Amino acid sequence: MSHTPPIRYDKFPAVTVPGNPRTWTGVQAWQEIAGSGPETIVVDTYPGVDLPGLEAFISESLPGHRIVNVEEAAALPIARIDELIAANLTDDRVFGVISHHTLADFYDAGRLADIAREVSASDRPAVLVGWGAALVPVPERTLVLADMARWELQQRQRAGAPNWRCDNSGEDNLRKYKRSFFVEWRVADRHKRRLFPDVDYVLDTNRSVSGAKLITGETFHRGMAAAAAAPFRVVPFFDPGVWGGQWMKTVCGLDSDAENYAWCFDCVPEENSILLDVGGETVELPSVDVVFTQPTRLLGPQIYARFGAEFPIRFDFLDTMEGGNLSLQVHPLTDYIQDRFGMHYTQDESYYILDCDDGAVVYLGLKSGTEPAAMLKALKNASDGGAPFPAEDYVNAFPAKKHDHFSIPAGTVHCSGANSMVLEISATPYIFTFKMWDWDRVGLDGRPRPIHLDHASRNIQWDRDTEWARDQLLDQVEQLGSGSGWTEERTGLHELEFIEVRRHWFTEAVHHDTKGTVNVLNLVEGAQAVVESPGGSFDPFVVSYAETFIVPAAVGAYTIRPYGPGAGQKLATVKAFVRGTELA
């Protein structure tokens, strides 16, 4: 491997909340809540929070209060909910249809009203708890949001946790994830966005309910505003895979005894966490909360107008160093993903080669002269257990070297080969991969990995052959400008994709400006750099090799220069933004 060897990669970056905020934990947290305002406490939880454990701890902490599990008292039977969402779940193991349900659809309105009357008539103070507790129409309440990041929920499901109110602990994890992705998380995010303006407290339940850290709603909003006012990083998470490699173990300082690491999601705000430094205590919350509460300052007005409160740019790592090929795959066209799955934009991608060994290749586009019927027949035969699919007979294998950038618009057959470290710069939809061939492998769970040849065949663009790929997707670097100690290049993406990527090589300070649209960057060469505000609007922000960071739209002008061990080196960043969203 030719990688830079430090280990400076920060796996736990944090955003400092200004002022003198504080946290509460344990019994003190619930005593703080109980003494803060109205007697009725409403604890609305994200689905997946340990509700039995939370109930028990609140009861222990507030023995004078009556605890009402709103889910048990008023949620519809799970069989009825299954009927409501059947069309969203489909029979497919992986893909469903995005739900537009609201949480009220899953509740009996009459029973919610009964709970409110019972609480009002009681002489004993009450704590209403559960996903949907805020639906109970009590006139005066102290509102607590017990929040949790999606990545933590995935770990719990893999360990046996069921979906919300389901008896599916032993179910295939892909089906659990599908129910969460297409239904539960959509409904939950829609619900909690309505709570944010009125929330009195936010509870971090990512680790335990007894040790959960509590902050005020004011501290929460100050933390979200702080994130949207300066460069920041979300918390990266790492995952093994059947094709996973060894590069991230060294560069990112991961467990050397692990078999491999395949993915690192280091800028997927829908699933990552954000850490808040609250008076020296660390509070973990979903990073998507920044998107929901600060959409214009984070994204910029043009992106917010086009995409809504959704972060449209994704950066992640694909590590195949000393590993294997990714699955041969294709992503859906925009029309297809809208029509079949309810997503409003598609999974356009690109591969930026952060590192690789000799002989590395990227499979991209079809070989000229490929007959669709012959290729699909060979793929079907392979998926049915016949002869392995001869990928090299049908798909181009282009040599890859460090700092190459391959564009992959939806509909293009592709995969990364072994012995590459890919920085994937792409649109945010991230599960819509139609695998066509997986090199005769099974998943880490021992089960065959899903093949979606039917979906793939409806999306492959058969005219994207060798000549088209060479002309449109390879070696698209264009120098745009230079100055003292810096050069700016455009490296992609293809004109069919909405993301623009610029690379800056520099030995001195480089001037950037968000121009009112969010920027996502990664330090792809050099040990360390510092991001600074010419006007001092934010503190200097240090980034190390391979770290992805977000510069919110509201930041405006900023500079990046070599710093610390990076001083005297030639550094490079790649910067992604959405075309056509920069303000004049």
Side-chain angles (χ1 to χ4, degrees):
M1 292 188 231
S2 59
H3 61 71
T4 304
I7 302 178
R8 297 187 183 90
Y9 186 93
D10 185 359
K11 298 188 289 296
F12 303 102
V15 173
T16 300
V17 181
N20 297 297
R22 64 168 297 185
T23 63
W24 298 266
T25 57
V27 174
Q28 288 184 335
W30 295 102
Q31 291 175 342
E32 159 64 22
I33 295 167
S36 68
E39 282 191 342
T40 302
I41 300 170
V42 173
V43 185
D44 207 305
T45 65
Y46 206 77
V49 169
D50 176 11
L51 190 55
L54 186 59
E55 279 188 86
F57 191 73
I58 296 173
S59 181
E60 176 186 332
S61 302
L62 301 175
H65 285 63
R66 173 191 174 205
I67 312 300
V68 180
N69 183 323
V70 174
E71 296 180 9
E72 292 291 341
L76 297 178
I78 195 62
R80 176 64 184 127
I81 293 173
D82 286 344
E83 291 176 2
L84 289 174
I85 65 175
N88 299 101
L89 292 184
T90 73
D91 293 328
D92 191 279
R93 186 181 172 198
V94 176
F95 301 118
V97 178
I98 294 293
S99 167
H100 287 90
H101 292 94
T102 64
L103 188 51
D105 296 336
F106 301 161
Y107 272 88
D108 182 324
R111 283 297 301 133
L112 292 171
D114 290 343
I115 296 171
R117 284 191 290 271
E118 292 165 9
V119 167
S120 298
S122 175
D123 294 332
R124 189 179 176 193
V127 180
L128 311 182
V129 62
W131 183 33
L135 296 174
V136 177
V138 290
E140 298 288 336
R141 65 186 184 179
T142 299
L143 178 60
V144 182
L145 172 63
D147 214 351
M148 180 179 287
R150 290 186 186 178
W151 176 237
E152 172 62 23
L153 292 172
Q154 290 177 57
Q155 301 314 296
R156 296 184 182 196
Q157 288 181 347
R158 292 179 188 181
N163 287 95
W164 183 67
R165 302 194 60 74
C166 292
D167 183 19
N168 68 339
S169 297
E171 188 177 29
D172 175 11
N173 282 323
L174 289 178
R175 291 188 181 276
K176 287 186 186 179
Y177 183 88
K178 180 184 71 169
R179 188 180 184 107
S180 296
F181 182 91
F182 287 94
V183 180
E184 291 174 357
W185 295 340
R186 305 296 163 176
V187 177
D189 287 348
R190 194 171 293 124
H191 176 64
K192 77 174 178 178
R193 287 180 67 181
R194 296 172 181 170
L195 304 183
F196 283 139
D198 301 319
V199 69
D200 296 298
Y201 293 94
V202 175
L203 189 68
D204 165 13
T205 64
N206 285 281
R207 294 297 162 256
S208 72
V209 292
S210 60
K213 294 180 181 178
L214 181 77
I215 59 175
T216 65
E218 180 186 2
T219 296
F220 167 78
H221 285 291
R222 269 195 278 146
M224 299 298 101
F232 72 99
R233 295 182 59 226
V234 298
V235 182
F237 63 84
F238 303 85
D239 220 13
V242 295
W243 42 263
Q246 306 299 313
W247 190 93
M248 290 190 292
K249 287 185 184 180
T250 301
V251 174
C252 302
L254 306 179
D255 180 3
S256 60
D257 293 330
E259 184 173 346
N260 69 60
Y261 289 96
W263 289 277
C264 168
F265 295 93
D266 60 346
C267 183
V268 188
E270 282 190 344
E271 302 225 346
N272 291 96
S273 297
I274 188 169
L275 301 182
L276 300 182
D277 181 339
V278 183
E281 293 288 336
T282 300
V283 175
E284 182 177 1
L285 296 171
S287 56
V288 74
D289 289 355
V290 186
V291 185
F292 291 154
T293 59
Q294 300 284 325
T296 303
R297 290 180 59 77
L298 175 64
L299 303 174
Q302 299 278 358
I303 290 182
Y304 186 34
R306 184 187 301 185
F307 293 94
E310 184 162 327
F311 201 93
I313 302 171
R314 171 171 60 101
F315 274 38
D316 62 271
F317 293 150
L318 308 172
D319 184 354
T320 68
M321 296 290 268
E322 301 179 41
N325 299 334
L326 271 66
S327 61
L328 192 67
Q329 59 194 246
V330 68
H331 300 301
L333 302 172
T334 299
D335 185 65
Y336 195 87
I337 202 171
Q338 289 175 346
D339 182 60
R340 297 297 292 268
F341 309 119
M343 293 291 294
H344 60 283
Y345 64 108
T346 196
Q347 190 170 328
D348 286 314
E349 291 186 344
S350 71
Y351 288 166
Y352 188 93
I353 307 300
L354 197 59
D355 204 351
C356 64
D357 283 343
D358 294 340
V361 300
V362 168
Y363 292 86
L364 187 63
L366 303 170
K367 287 194 170 180
S368 297
T370 291
E371 289 291 336
M375 179 174 161
L376 293 174
K377 181 178 180 181
L379 285 166
K380 180 68 167 61
N381 183 56
S383 68
D384 289 343
F389 177 68
E392 291 78 5
D393 291 350
Y394 294 97
V395 184
N396 303 305
F398 292 111
K401 63 182 185 300
K402 188 173 182 176
H403 294 303
D404 281 349
H405 195 185
F406 299 85
S407 293
I408 311 171
T412 308
V413 175
H414 67 283
C415 78
S416 173
N419 296 316
S420 293
M421 182 63 206
V422 172
L423 169 62
E424 190 173 50
I425 302 172
S426 61
T428 290
Y430 51 94
I431 70 164
F432 296 93
T433 297
F434 301 146
K435 297 183 182 71
M436 299 180 290
W437 170 241
D438 204 26
W439 316 95
D440 270 339
R441 296 179 298 213
V442 295
L444 293 180
D445 59 1
R447 302 181 60 172
R449 299 179 81 205
I451 298 294
H452 285 94
L453 191 55
D454 186 55
H455 285 312
S457 66
R458 288 172 164 79
N459 286 275
I460 294 171
Q461 300 301 285
W462 297 98
D463 59 343
R464 295 182 186 173
D465 59 11
T466 306
E467 290 72 28
W468 190 90
R470 281 203 183 106
D471 181 57
Q472 300 281 328
L473 308 180
L474 275 61
D475 195 26
Q476 300 296 303
V477 177
E478 174 189 2
Q479 183 170 320
L480 299 177
S482 62
S484 176
W486 64 271
T487 300
E488 180 182 10
E489 301 167 329
R490 180 186 180 276
T491 68
L493 281 59
H494 190 266
E495 63 182 10
L496 294 178
E497 304 177 82
F498 63 75
I499 295 173
E500 176 87 359
V501 177
R502 303 286 178 86
R503 180 170 59 203
H504 289 82
W505 296 97
F506 57 102
T507 55
E508 300 178 21
V510 183
H511 290 267
H512 295 257
D513 197 318
T514 66
K515 297 182 179 178
T517 193
V518 67
N519 293 178
V520 182
L521 300 94
N522 187 286
L523 183 62
V524 297
E525 185 69 36
Q528 208 164 64
V530 62
V531 188
E532 296 172 301
S533 166
S537 63
F538 59 83
D539 291 336
F541 182 79
V542 176
V543 293
S544 296
Y545 176 61
E547 291 182 350
T548 296
F549 59 102
I550 297 167
V551 181
V555 165
Y558 62 99
T559 63
I560 306 178
R561 63 176 173 86
Y563 178 79
Q569 296 181 343
K570 184 178 183 180
L571 277 60
T573 57
V574 291
K575 176 175 69 176
F577 57 92
V578 176
R579 292 192 189 113
T581 60
E582 294 179 302
L583 302 179

